[in-house]
Amino acid sequence: MNEIDSYIKDFPENVQERLNIIRNLTKELAPQATERICMRIPTFDLNGKWLIHFAGFEKHIGFYPQPEGINAFKDRLTDYKFSKGSVQFPLDKPLPIDLIREIIEFRVKEQS
């Protein structure tokens, strides 16, 4: 079991499912990216730079696509709490998988 597996395993099943969705999407869209724990949260690196981070919390999933990923999609993030480099996806709402996919695709293109 690697570090990210261990990180995800420590959360309740409903949070694990959401974390795994983001992890699997990132692996699918950026198969050349490497994963590790950085700043105590799951991180994917691409071409020597941070691609995305994600994290589980009591009431939300934190998604960190760097400021560029937030800026490019800020018009579509208005239903969520977000800041310069992060967005919170509440656990009591459906995970916006299509939006997360588009943000990851954007970040991959940006770093390729």
Side-chain angles (χ1 to χ4, degrees), residues 25-43:
L25 264 177
T26 306
K27 285 180 167 185
E28 172 192 331
L29 299 169
Q32 67 278 37
T34 57
E35 60 179 2
R36 65 188 173 105
I37 296 290
C38 179
M39 299 182 295
R40 292 189 234 164
I41 60 174
T43 300

Side-chain angles (χ1 to χ4, degrees), residues 21 30 52 61 76:
I21 288 170
I52 63 140
I61 299 295
R76 296 180 52 203

Side-chain angles (χ1 to χ4, degrees), residues 89-106:
F89 298 124
L91 295 178
D92 63 355
K93 294 184 179 177
L95 192 65
I97 296 169
D98 291 339
L99 177 57
I100 294 168
R101 175 183 291 278
E102 289 180 50
I103 294 171
I104 295 169
E105 288 173 337
F106 171 82

Side-chain angles (χ1 to χ4, degrees), residues 11-89:
F11 287 92
E13 193 171 314
N14 66 319
V15 177
Q16 287 182 34
E17 181 180 324
R18 289 165 182 250
L19 294 171
N20 278 315
I21 288 170
I22 294 171
R23 183 185 191 188
N24 292 334
L25 264 177
T26 306
K27 285 180 167 185
E28 172 192 331
L29 299 169
Q32 67 278 37
T34 57
E35 60 179 2
R36 65 188 173 105
I37 296 290
C38 179
M39 299 182 295
R40 292 189 234 164
I41 60 174
T43 300
F44 278 86
D45 297 323
L46 182 62
N47 297 326
K49 297 179 185 175
W50 289 336
L51 181 65
I52 63 140
H53 310 277
F54 59 97
F57 293 94
E58 186 177 333
K59 296 183 179 181
H60 71 275
I61 299 295
F63 183 63
Y64 311 92
Q66 305 306 309
E68 300 83 1
I70 296 295
N71 275 338
F73 292 87
K74 64 183 171 189
D75 295 348
R76 296 180 52 203
L77 295 172
T78 56
D79 289 343
Y80 308 99
K81 185 175 181 180
F82 71 96
S83 64
K84 180 180 172 183
S86 68
V87 60
Q88 295 180 4
F89 298 124

